[in-house]
Amino acid sequence: MKFRYILKVAYAVLLLFLLAQPVWSQEGKQKKSQNSRGMLRLSDQDVILPITSIEWGTPDRWSITSRYVHMFERDRDNKTWLNNLSITLSPGISGGRFGIGYQSIFSPPSMPDFGVFSEARVVLLRTWGNPISAVSDRTYAGAEIRSSLSFLFNIGIGYYKQISDSNGNGGDFYGFHVGVGI
């Protein structure tokens, strides 16, 4: 019971740090960038997005996703395809995921309000609490593919293979996530 209380406090502190907008300064001047609300721009090609998605899925139940994105293209104006490196952290109620992968964004210049976000990534997953379709307190390695239409709703599927406590227990499973965001 005490562990559950500590976990809730740690989760609340994590959310506080993710939602706080740190002030970056250079020579006493605040660094401003366009569309800076909800993102931390490290450079012209690197950005941290504290919360990009709220999701429900297996095994971690409810989770949030934060992401670091490195954009490969320097000139992104009027490009139909954008290619990026993405590093994600998705803490959840019954597990957490850390992923590294390739992200592409399809956004035709003729349709500025439309876009398709897709991602393929390798994932390290740790379960705790009461996960769905998995054993608690285990570590898994896996792969996920994800897609989002118009950057609002997302869906993802993954396959995970247990890498801890492998005493004959297979522990492999398929997972899925649906959510709001990218």
Side-chain angles (χ1 to χ4, degrees):
M1 201 51 110
K2 191 173 186 177
F3 175 74
R4 190 170 265 202
Y5 175 75
I6 292 170
L7 186 61
K8 286 181 182 179
V9 169
Y11 191 68
V13 169
L14 175 69
L15 284 175
L16 178 66
F17 281 117
L18 288 174
L19 294 174
Q21 294 264 344
V23 177
W24 288 81
S25 62
Q26 181 179 9
E27 300 174 2
K29 296 179 184 175
Q30 186 174 355
K31 189 175 182 180
K32 294 270 187 183
S33 64
Q34 59 193 119
N35 299 329
S36 65
R37 183 152 178 88
M39 78 169 82
L40 177 63
R41 188 170 291 282
L42 302 175
S43 72
D44 185 45
Q45 291 179 269
D46 300 291
V47 66
I48 293 176
L49 302 161
I51 297 181
T52 59
S53 179
I54 298 173
E55 304 169 344
W56 187 90
T58 60
D60 46 2
R61 299 182 186 266
W62 286 105
S63 65
I64 61 170
T65 299
S66 300
R67 86 179 54 237
Y68 160 80
V69 176
H70 173 76
M71 297 171 256
F72 294 127
E73 287 88 4
R74 289 188 184 273
D75 178 25
R76 295 180 292 277
D77 293 337
N78 298 318
K79 296 263 179 139
T80 302
W81 287 97
L82 297 174
N83 302 292
N84 308 309
L85 167 73
S86 178
I87 300 174
T88 58
L89 181 62
S90 302
I93 293 173
S94 295
R97 294 171 288 138
F98 173 76
I100 299 175
Y102 167 77
Q103 163 190 3
S104 70
I105 301 171
F106 171 73
S107 181
S110 62
M111 299 169 51
D113 294 333
F114 175 80
V116 177
F117 164 94
S118 58
E119 185 174 23
R121 62 185 178 194
V122 294
V123 176
L124 189 62
L125 165 70
R126 178 70 181 176
T127 59
W128 53 75
N130 186 21
I132 301 171
S133 302
V135 179
S136 184
D137 301 320
R138 299 290 191 269
T139 304
Y140 299 84
E144 294 180 350
I145 55 172
R146 305 175 50 78
S147 186
S148 175
L149 183 62
S150 291
F151 310 102
L152 294 176
F153 300 103
N154 65 61
I155 187 166
I157 59 170
Y159 177 76
Y160 311 94
K161 183 170 183 63
Q162 184 174 321
I163 60 174
S164 68
D165 191 44
S166 56
N167 56 1
N169 266 352
D172 303 354
F173 67 96
Y174 287 94
F176 75 94
H177 290 88
V178 293
V180 176
I182 56 173

